[in-house]
Amino acid sequence: MIPNDHAVQIFKFSEQRWIDKIIDGELSFSCAGAFVNQAIALGNLVQGDPYEGIFARLDTNDKRISEMKKKLGKDLEIFEIDNRILLRRRSAKLKPIFCFYTIRVKDLLNENEIYKIGEQTLKHKFNDLLYNGFSDSLIAPNVVRNEFQFSQIAIQPQTFVMRVREAMANKGLGFRMGNVDYEEFKKDTFFIEPTKDYKELFYKFPEYKYQNEGRICLKDISFHTPCQRYNLRIRPFDEESYKVSHVPITMNINAVIERK
């Protein structure tokens, strides 16, 4: 039995040239600063998010604002939105991140009407924003070279996680891997204690919930600029462990439903 919070499939949306690198065993890490720049400079609110990495939204008179000024010094960014104060660490924007899409058991159970115990086909439909936001080739499929065409890769979760953990252990890298939380930021105010684990990088506003995002963060590495990348070499994927599609799909997963 698969626990409700475990993934049944992992996906990545990109162009064929980048998907080919993943298949060959290269995971390219970007950072929150790059996502902020994509949102502000390019207006891409699918790949980009102007509020990436914030750890607090507080009332203007909250004493934790002054406490964070003393604790974080020049690392602290402060900006005001809708009469609330948002806090972010500059260093959080420079931590290497690799993002992917996860379908978890609880996602499938929430999306499908479970009407019987036993074998059942569960469906998962991807939001159209995921397709339109990661490649122009769906809009103009006849004017791009194959390397730029939209591609969606599905990878077996156990295979993916095993290769990542193996590579991290070999390189002695400290990392955090998990799902993004879209619930905490629904609150009027919130505060995530800033620590060396950079847990704030695993929270986003609920309008991004359709991305079902999982992340890997390299805690002990920092970029000098948001333009940098870190390429992690893992073992290449065998053909039986992944599938690639160049058109929008709906996932059909055969499952056996058991009573708790």
Side-chain angles (χ1 to χ4, degrees):
M1 179 182 294
I2 305 176
N4 280 5
D5 61 343
H6 281 209
V8 296
Q9 199 67 268
I10 285 175
F11 293 87
K12 186 75 174 175
F13 301 83
S14 191
E15 295 175 346
Q16 185 64 48
R17 53 183 174 153
W18 306 124
I19 295 301
D20 285 342
K21 287 183 177 293
I22 292 174
I23 294 171
D24 190 45
E26 181 178 292
L27 304 185
S28 184
F29 285 68
S30 185
C31 65
F35 307 150
V36 171
N37 290 346
Q38 281 181 307
I40 295 175
L42 302 178
N44 186 334
L45 296 180
V46 177
Q47 295 185 59
D49 177 1
Y51 304 119
E52 273 280 0
I54 65 169
F55 67 84
R57 180 169 64 187
L58 303 171
D59 292 325
T60 55
N61 60 353
D62 195 302
K63 65 179 183 180
R64 286 174 291 187
I65 298 172
S66 59
E67 290 174 356
M68 289 299 103
K69 287 180 180 179
K70 293 178 182 178
K71 178 179 179 179
L72 299 176
K74 293 182 179 180
D75 193 27
L76 183 66
E77 283 187 342
I78 303 175
F79 42 106
E80 185 173 345
I81 303 291
D82 297 330
N83 297 316
R84 292 284 197 278
I85 299 298
L86 276 63
L87 304 180
R88 178 167 59 200
R89 286 188 283 181
R90 290 182 171 85
S91 56
K93 294 192 296 182
L94 297 173
K95 289 295 175 183
I97 297 173
F98 181 82
C99 306
F100 51 91
Y101 185 102
T102 63
I103 299 179
R104 294 170 294 178
V105 172
K106 65 180 180 181
D107 299 323
L108 292 171
L109 295 178
N110 289 336
E111 289 180 59
N112 292 268
E113 183 179 350
I114 308 301
Y115 56 87
K116 65 177 182 179
I117 301 299
E119 189 171 339
Q120 186 173 337
T121 298
L122 305 179
K123 295 185 177 182
H124 178 80
K125 187 178 186 303
F126 299 94
N127 193 297
D128 289 341
L129 288 172
L130 291 164
Y131 295 112
N132 296 326
F134 283 89
S135 176
D136 293 334
S137 63
L138 282 178
I139 302 171
N142 297 321
V143 297
V144 294
R145 298 195 302 272
N146 286 342
E147 63 187 292
F148 295 106
Q149 73 177 130
F150 169 82
S151 297
Q152 173 182 350
I153 187 172
I155 306 174
Q156 294 177 0
Q158 185 176 8
T159 302
F160 178 80
V161 172
M162 179 180 66
R163 279 164 165 70
V164 168
R165 293 189 180 280
E166 178 184 82
M168 296 295 186
N170 289 339
K171 291 181 175 295
L173 294 173
F175 73 101
R176 177 182 175 87
M177 179 163 51
N179 296 309
V180 170
D181 183 303
Y182 302 99
E183 298 298 316
E184 184 68 19
F185 285 11
K186 288 181 179 179
K187 300 175 182 177
D188 288 338
T189 62
F190 54 80
F191 182 86
I192 302 161
E193 187 69 37
T195 69
K196 63 182 181 180
D197 287 332
Y198 287 88
K199 293 180 180 179
E200 65 262 39
L201 293 171
F202 290 82
Y203 292 84
K204 295 189 73 170
F205 281 102
E207 56 261 38
Y208 288 94
K209 185 175 176 63
Y210 69 89
Q211 296 185 350
N212 281 28
E213 193 175 340
R215 287 183 164 182
I216 306 169
C217 175
L218 302 180
K219 302 184 297 181
D220 302 329
I221 295 177
S222 290
F223 291 150
H224 296 294
T225 73
C227 298
Q228 282 183 261
R229 310 284 296 198
Y230 179 89
N231 295 325
L232 177 71
R233 292 297 310 182
I234 63 175
R235 283 190 292 124
F237 290 98
D238 304 318
E239 288 187 5
E240 62 269 19
S241 65
Y242 72 88
K243 295 292 183 184
V244 175
S245 172
H246 303 295
V247 295
I249 65 171
T250 296
M251 282 293 299
N252 294 317
I253 298 176
N254 295 324
V256 176
I257 307 299
E258 298 180 351
R259 194 183 304 277
K260 285 187 176 181

